[in-house]
Amino acid sequence: MVQDEKEKTELQKAREQKRIEKEKENAVKQARAAVAKGMKKENWMEYMEALIDQRLAEGVGGTQILTTLEIEGIKSQVVNQPMRNTVSFVRYELSENDGIVSKTKIFEDTVLVVEQAETIAAHIRSDNLASFKNQCCSLLSNNVTSTITLLVLGFIRHKKKSVMNRLEWEQATLELQMEHNITTFLITDVAQLVEHIRMYCKALGERPHKLRKSKDLFIGATKNQLFVDREGGGYLQVFIAQLQEIRSVNEAIATAVAQLYPSPVILSNFIARDKEGAVAALADIQVRRGVGVLANIRRVGPEAAKRIVQFYSSSDPDEPIV
């Protein structure tokens, strides 16, 4: 009787342990699914936030900026920025650890500086643009910001009033671009300003996805990729593709060579025994082109044969294949 109770207790413990492990496994799956969702390009808006300087939000058009961003579905927060009238960006990155999803706050390296055209014009006319540049330089020295974009608001209206000479403006913006890498855009109204904020949010939100995609270009992301699978299939196709990297070697020539020498090792060993003989043998290989009545048979030829031999026999990785 005691033995039966003991076995029953152990069985219950085993079932409970199995249930806990199953719940943990489900939690891990759900957490990883949430992280994967956050990594998708189309979900950038959920994980981006624009930080609007309080002085910009309380200034002319500030209410319109916040309202329009909310309508566009872009998260924003009013904060005290180190430099007046600036907009910075925060991206939230999800990660999973043992079934628990954590959110990391990442400050992006891009800052928008919004200035009225009249203010910039006054700086230029009074030769006081240096103070503005110094503020930008102090922003660049915070080890986070590396890109500053100046958005000049109301430039068209300002131009009609002829407050600033066009040449003076171009000289000033050229100086900002060349000396401090500050790009300038001319914004006519608040609607264009909001559109720029939205575009920067979108670009920064999609940047991690694009970086991952660029890293995957050579490890399985290309549509017409060739690779050797776990069972060893696809080896010949990879070898044929490698042969086509050599100038004047097309698919028909590469296929004909691979039929006689079906691997790089076999071909290299054949060439190593007698290079001149290998050139003659490869040049004499028949290449069938076309089908039916249009089919014809040609030879690989000495030029392509020499390049193949040079490619598989050279010990100098920098030797040009001529």
Side-chain angles (χ1 to χ4, degrees):
M1 188 70 178
V2 176
Q3 182 68 23
D4 292 342
E5 288 294 331
K6 185 177 180 181
E7 291 179 355
K8 186 177 179 180
T9 302
E10 290 178 353
L11 182 61
Q12 288 177 345
K13 287 182 178 180
R15 287 176 178 173
E16 181 65 17
Q17 182 64 29
K18 188 175 181 180
R19 184 187 64 81
I20 293 174
E21 291 177 355
K22 185 66 176 178
E23 289 180 354
K24 184 177 180 180
E25 183 181 344
N26 291 335
V28 170
K29 287 182 179 179
Q30 292 176 2
R32 289 178 179 175
V35 172
K37 180 183 177 183
M39 294 172 65
K40 290 185 177 179
K41 179 181 177 181
E42 59 270 19
N43 295 329
W44 65 268
M45 193 178 292
E46 297 181 29
Y47 305 98
M48 285 298 299
E49 184 177 35
L51 304 181
I52 313 294
D53 180 55
Q54 185 175 358
R55 287 156 290 190
L56 177 61
E58 294 175 350
V60 178
T63 303
Q64 184 181 350
I65 293 173
L66 299 176
T67 304
T68 309
L69 286 175
E70 184 178 358
I71 294 172
E72 291 282 343
I74 296 175
K75 299 175 184 177
S76 63
Q77 182 181 350
V78 178
V79 298
N80 288 318
Q81 296 277 25
M83 183 175 177
R84 64 185 295 273
N85 294 346
T86 55
V87 180
S88 59
F89 303 92
V90 168
R91 178 172 55 84
Y92 295 94
E93 188 172 271
L94 301 182
S95 59
E96 179 270 333
N97 183 21
D98 202 21
I100 299 175
V101 178
S102 58
K103 185 183 290 186
T104 305
K105 190 175 185 179
I106 300 175
F107 289 91
E108 296 290 351
D109 59 358
T110 300
V111 171
L112 306 181
V113 179
V114 183
E115 280 292 354
Q116 295 288 336
E118 289 83 358
T119 303
I120 295 295
H123 284 323
I124 294 176
R125 290 187 322 185
S126 62
D127 199 22
N128 194 30
L129 196 61
S131 62
F132 173 77
K133 290 188 295 183
N134 290 336
Q135 292 181 50
C136 292
C137 289
S138 64
L139 202 61
L140 289 170
S141 64
N142 63 7
N143 296 325
V144 176
T145 305
S146 62
T147 304
I148 292 180
T149 299
L150 172 62
L151 304 179
V152 182
L153 183 60
F155 184 82
I156 298 300
R157 184 180 72 253
H158 152 78
K159 180 182 175 182
K160 290 180 179 179
K161 291 183 178 180
S162 300
V163 179
M164 180 175 56
N165 183 279
R166 178 91 184 175
L167 180 60
E168 292 177 333
W169 166 252
E170 290 179 351
Q171 288 176 340
T173 55
L174 180 63
E175 182 180 345
L176 290 172
Q177 175 71 48
M178 298 298 293
E179 293 185 8
H180 307 286
N181 197 28
I182 299 175
T183 306
T184 306
F185 288 98
L186 309 180
I187 308 298
T188 59
D189 51 30
V190 175
Q192 280 195 354
L193 171 59
V194 173
E195 177 61 19
H196 268 74
I197 296 175
R198 189 196 70 82
M199 287 191 302
Y200 272 84
C201 258
K202 184 174 187 294
L204 293 171
E206 292 179 349
R207 182 164 63 176
H209 169 81
K210 293 179 178 179
L211 289 174
R212 286 191 297 269
K213 186 177 179 181
S214 65
K215 291 179 181 178
D216 291 340
L217 283 178
F218 297 101
I219 56 174
T222 53
K223 183 177 179 181
N224 298 319
Q225 62 173 337
L226 293 172
F227 60 92
V228 180
D229 58 31
R230 293 180 180 178
E231 289 73 31
Y235 191 93
L236 184 62
Q237 286 71 28
V238 173
F239 179 40
I240 292 173
Q242 184 190 57
L243 285 168
Q244 291 180 72
E245 297 294 329
I246 302 172
R247 185 163 65 92
S248 74
V249 176
N250 56 29
E251 184 178 1
I253 293 176
T255 302
V257 172
Q259 285 177 348
L260 292 176
Y261 309 98
S263 77
V265 174
I266 295 174
L267 180 58
S268 298
N269 290 339
F270 169 71
I271 292 172
R273 288 195 292 268
D274 182 3
K275 290 184 181 180
E276 293 185 1
V279 171
L282 291 173
D284 197 47
I285 293 176
Q286 293 185 348
V287 180
R288 182 178 295 275
R289 303 184 184 183
V291 293
V293 296
L294 298 178
N296 63 83
I297 297 177
R298 301 180 64 180
R299 308 283 179 179
V300 170
E303 294 300 321
K306 287 178 183 178
R307 295 189 182 104
I308 293 173
V309 169
Q310 183 182 3
F311 183 84
Y312 284 99
S313 63
S314 176
S315 58
D316 181 6
D318 298 320
E319 181 180 353
I321 308 297
V322 295

